[in-house]
């Protein structure tokens, strides 16, 4: 589904990604791990064609998207459902209007049909009660749930992309979001989750890519990650050891 | 900033402002967004424009009455106030107030949408951010700034009247008849063209700066500041150029 072939990207003089090679199947559950500023979100934006690489090629279902126009990229973007960090809900619209945004843009559904569809989507993500709320009235967890509902309303995606879906959430809400992510991929649809929270990544993913200094430091499964001898990865997964120790206190 | 970056910025600004205007002619038309923007820009600025214009008119009338009475030409206060307000000070004062209130709002709102990934979300949903965000703001500025200028002109003339009659003890009839005299095609046309150009400049610059915002709260602050400063500079420069062109086109000799 997704192939990165020698992709490099920089902001001005600062290299973010350097000669990146990897491929991801549509049914894979991938977590991209790494510290802040390592280019994790950039990878999602490159996949969606929101940014263009300095060099290299990005193939989506065998098609190079790097030279495509904004108009042509629309078809590529419809294959994915992306949830940005903190939800990125439209401030000026309430929850119902946020979720109904694409329905109004692209369908000729009546007001009643839109209402039914929006309620159904919000019920699916567990925030039906927030229908008339404005984004600033929502908690962090509700924000992400509404954003997921909105992304589902858009198109029928082949794959989900999540940018730090649990960051800033308390453990209960983070766990609920993880369950929702797993629930949505139950029918074999894969996802890429970008996060620095290794604990949450282990709950949902079965493949882990670790980025450092713009390069892939590690690419493997859960067991390989947990037993990796790479010192930086050991530091990263030490969060898990603290959690285990805390259980014994 | 090096020359290459400057040229690139100018090119991007030109493309954005051009596409923003072109959005008026291409579907879909975001009428609801345009009306919301007009409400924010117009209704929200109404009382500020009246207040500012009233005091501008009073200050101008006071200065002129003081100077003209020395020359024994106090009866011309209304005429000079009228010409100054309608042709020059009214459009510029309204544009400056509009920049401070609406332009800064446009830049900070769009900047915040960029930093909060809301603009990326629009692109993901296949919505052209320029058509959805920039065109309605240009429309609102093109409609509301001329309207506000008209209201501001009226308030300024009223302020001038108050000073001329109640402070300078001139005849109210003479003041209004002087104002009527200056309301000819040349003066009204000269004062009517400017708000459209100023509105387009303010909306384009503010939207461009907002959509170029980078780097969190500091970046947002910088984008808003640049939008206001650049808009003010461009209003003053454009005012001079337009005045020169209009004087020539309307057959005034300098």
């Amino acid at each position: 589904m997704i192939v990165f072939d020698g992709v490099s990207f920089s902001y001005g003089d600062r290299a973010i990604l350097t000669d990146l090679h990897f491929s991801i199947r549509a049914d894979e559950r991938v977590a991209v791990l790494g510290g802040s500023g390592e280019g994790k979100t950039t990878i999602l934006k490159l996949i969606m064609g929101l940014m263009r690489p300095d060099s290299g090629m990005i193939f989506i279902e065998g098609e190079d998207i790097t030279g495509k126009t904004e108009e042509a990229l629309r078809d590529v973007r419809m294959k994915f459902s992306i949830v940005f960090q903190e939800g990125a809900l439209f401030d000026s619209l309430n929850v119902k209007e946020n979720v109904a945004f694409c329905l109004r843009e692209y369908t000729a559904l009546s007001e009643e049909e839109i209402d039914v569809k929006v309620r159904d989507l919000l019920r699916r993500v567990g925030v039906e009660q927030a229908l008339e709320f404005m984004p600033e009235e929502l908690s962090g967890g509700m924000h992400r749930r509404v954003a997921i509902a909105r992304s589902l309303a858009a198109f029928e995606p082949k794959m989900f992309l999540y940018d730090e879906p649990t960051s800033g959430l308390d453990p209960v809400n983070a766990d609920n979001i993880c369950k929702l992510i797993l629930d949505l991929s139950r029918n074999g649809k894969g996802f890429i989750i970008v996060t620095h929270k290794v604990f949450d990544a282990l709950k949902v993913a079965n493949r882990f890519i670790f980025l450092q200094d713009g390069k892939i430091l590690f690419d493997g499964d859960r067991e390989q990650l947990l037993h990796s001898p790479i010192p930086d990865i050991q530091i990263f997964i030490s969060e898990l050891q603290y959690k285990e120790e805390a259980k014994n206190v | 900033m090096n020359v290459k970056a400057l040229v690139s910025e100018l090119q991007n600004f030109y493309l954005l402002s051009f596409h923003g205007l072109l959005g008026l002619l291409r579907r879909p038309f975001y009428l609801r967004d345009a009306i919301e923007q007009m409400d924010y820009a117009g209704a929200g600025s109404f009382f500020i424009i009246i207040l500012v214009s009233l005091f501008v008119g009073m200050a101008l009338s006071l200065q002129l009455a003081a100077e003209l009475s020395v020359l024994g030409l106090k009866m011309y206060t209304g005429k000079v106030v009228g010409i100054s307000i309608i042709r020059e000070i009214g459009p510029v004062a309204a544009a400056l107030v509009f920049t401070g209130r609406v332009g800064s709002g446009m830049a900070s709102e769009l900047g915040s949408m960029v930093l909060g990934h809301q603009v990326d979300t629009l692109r993901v949903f296949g919505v052209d951010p320029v058509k959805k965000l920039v065109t309605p703001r240009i429309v609102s500025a093109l409609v509301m700034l001329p309207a506000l200028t008209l209201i501001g002109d009226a308030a300024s003339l009223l302020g001038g009247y108050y000073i001329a009659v109640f402070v300078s003890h001139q005849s109210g009839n003479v003041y209004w008849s002087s104002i009527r005299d200056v309301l000819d095609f040349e003066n009204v046309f000269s004062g009517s063209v400017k708000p459209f150009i100023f509105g387009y400049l303010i909306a384009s610059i503010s939207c461009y700066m907002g959509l170029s915002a980078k780097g969190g709260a500091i970046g947002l602050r910088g984008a808003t500041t640049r939008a206001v400063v650049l808009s003010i500079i461009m209003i003053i420069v454009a005012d001079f150029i337009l005045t020169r062109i209009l004087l020539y086109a309307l057959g005034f000799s300098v």
Side-chain angles (χ1 to χ4, degrees):
Chain A
M1 173 96 185
I2 302 166
V3 177
F4 270 46
D5 184 12
V7 171
S8 297
F9 181 84
S10 56
Y11 283 116
D13 296 332
R14 187 174 157 241
I16 303 295
L17 301 172
T18 314
D19 195 27
L20 228 53
H21 292 266
F22 66 82
S23 62
I24 293 172
R25 291 195 320 272
D27 61 348
E28 275 189 294
R29 303 191 316 206
V30 182
V32 179
L33 301 164
S36 300
E38 294 289 356
K40 304 189 296 295
T41 302
T42 305
I43 286 181
L44 296 189
K45 289 191 171 183
L46 287 168
I47 291 170
M48 295 297 281
L50 295 169
M51 288 173 164
R52 291 182 194 278
D54 299 338
S55 61
M57 287 185 283
I58 299 166
F59 295 92
I60 306 292
E61 292 191 320
E63 205 178 354
D64 181 17
I65 64 158
T66 47
K68 280 185 179 283
T69 61
E70 194 74 3
E71 195 66 32
L73 281 167
R74 205 177 133 190
D75 293 334
V76 175
R77 289 168 183 161
M78 284 167 75
K79 293 172 183 167
F80 299 95
S81 167
I82 186 167
V83 176
F84 286 106
Q85 201 171 353
E86 290 166 17
L89 298 179
F90 300 123
D91 296 332
S92 56
L93 304 179
N94 67 12
V95 166
K96 182 185 172 184
E97 291 305 313
N98 260 288
V99 178
F101 185 83
C102 277
L103 301 174
R104 291 196 197 287
E105 285 285 328
Y106 296 112
T107 68
L109 294 176
S110 67
E111 241 356 89
E112 288 75 30
E113 288 169 321
I114 287 175
D115 192 62
V116 169
K117 175 112 182 164
V118 169
R119 282 178 191 276
D120 181 50
L121 286 164
L122 289 175
R123 195 177 306 121
R124 205 167 151 194
V125 299
V127 283
E128 197 195 357
Q129 73 281 10
L131 190 75
E132 300 294 337
F133 286 14
M134 292 302 286
E136 73 263 19
E137 296 174 288
L138 301 174
S139 67
M142 288 166 98
H143 233 271
R144 315 293 160 90
R145 283 167 180 272
V146 173
I148 290 171
R150 183 179 63 178
S151 74
L152 292 171
F155 317 106
E156 192 53 49
K158 293 185 175 175
M159 203 169 185
F160 294 94
L161 308 177
Y162 300 103
D163 185 7
E164 304 274 9
T166 59
S167 74
L169 297 184
D170 62 83
V172 176
N173 264 310
D175 190 52
N176 286 336
I177 293 290
C178 289
K179 282 176 184 159
L180 182 61
I181 289 170
L182 279 176
D183 191 43
L184 292 172
S185 67
R186 200 174 282 169
N187 55 1
K189 281 180 184 169
F191 59 78
I192 302 173
I193 176 173
V194 153
T195 182
H196 62 271
K197 292 170 87 170
V198 70
F199 187 65
D200 293 334
L202 282 165
K203 282 183 195 168
V204 293
N206 50 25
R207 178 181 168 192
F208 303 86
I209 294 173
F210 192 95
L211 286 180
Q212 194 176 61
D213 298 329
K215 292 186 173 136
I216 294 176
L217 192 66
F218 171 88
D219 186 351
D221 63 20
R222 180 192 176 94
E223 286 309 307
Q224 288 169 320
L225 178 79
L226 292 175
H227 299 106
S228 169
I230 302 169
D232 288 317
I233 292 181
Q234 285 181 347
I235 293 169
F236 216 77
I237 61 174
S238 61
E239 177 195 341
L240 301 170
Q241 285 152 13
Y242 290 132
K243 282 187 194 289
E244 279 305 311
E245 283 166 20
K247 279 183 191 168
N248 299 326
V249 172
Chain B
M1 187 186 283
N2 60 35
V3 176
K4 193 179 164 191
L6 183 68
V7 170
S8 166
E9 284 270 318
L10 282 172
Q11 185 186 338
N12 290 339
F13 169 70
Y14 165 76
L15 286 173
L16 182 94
S17 56
F18 181 67
H19 282 137
L21 200 60
L22 214 62
L24 283 167
L25 310 171
R26 289 183 300 142
R27 285 178 182 277
F29 303 117
Y30 293 102
L31 193 63
R32 201 172 118 182
D33 298 69
I35 291 169
E36 272 174 23
Q37 289 302 318
M38 280 191 251
D39 179 49
Y40 170 73
S45 309
F46 185 76
F47 288 109
I48 305 170
I49 290 278
I50 287 183
L51 189 72
V52 170
S53 302
L54 192 71
F55 280 93
V56 166
M58 290 191 337
L60 184 68
S61 185
L62 206 57
Q63 289 277 14
L64 287 170
E67 201 59 36
L68 291 172
S69 58
V70 174
L71 302 168
L73 299 170
K74 222 160 69 168
M75 73 291 271
Y76 289 109
T77 304
K79 187 167 188 167
V80 184
V81 165
I83 291 173
S84 312
I85 292 294
I86 292 164
R87 271 205 220 162
E88 192 64 40
I89 298 172
V92 172
L96 294 179
V97 171
F98 198 82
T99 301
R101 188 183 174 276
V102 182
S104 62
M106 286 178 183
S108 60
E109 186 185 5
L110 295 189
S112 153
M113 286 183 78
V114 169
L115 301 177
H117 294 297
Q118 291 175 44
V119 175
D120 280 339
T121 304
L122 285 175
R123 291 173 67 197
V124 166
F125 290 162
V127 175
D128 180 356
V130 176
K131 272 192 69 75
K132 171 85 177 160
L133 302 173
V134 179
T135 304
R137 284 164 174 80
I138 288 179
V139 170
S140 91
L142 287 177
V143 173
M144 296 322 293
L145 187 54
L148 289 168
T149 303
L150 200 69
I151 293 163
D153 284 357
S156 290
L157 296 177
L158 211 61
Y161 168 82
Y162 172 78
I163 293 296
V165 175
F166 297 103
V167 178
S168 183
H169 307 295
Q170 298 175 35
S171 156
N173 287 337
V174 172
Y175 181 87
W176 286 122
S177 103
S178 307
I179 297 294
R180 269 197 301 276
D181 285 346
V182 299
L183 284 174
D184 55 14
F185 172 76
E186 283 82 3
N187 289 332
V188 173
F189 180 75
S190 183
S192 306
V193 170
K194 289 179 180 179
F196 289 100
I197 308 293
F198 294 163
Y200 181 57
L201 281 172
I202 295 165
S204 304
I205 292 169
S206 303
C207 289
Y208 178 74
M209 290 303 170
L211 291 175
S212 317
K214 288 186 187 86
I218 301 283
L220 190 58
R221 183 185 70 182
T224 310
T225 306
R226 277 196 301 279
V228 172
V229 171
L230 198 61
S231 292
I232 290 172
I233 293 171
M234 288 311 294
I235 288 165
I236 306 293
V237 172
D239 180 55
F240 168 73
I241 296 168
L242 282 169
T243 302
R244 193 78 188 89
I245 292 169
L246 287 165
L247 285 177
Y248 176 77
L250 297 171
F252 287 95
S253 57
V254 182

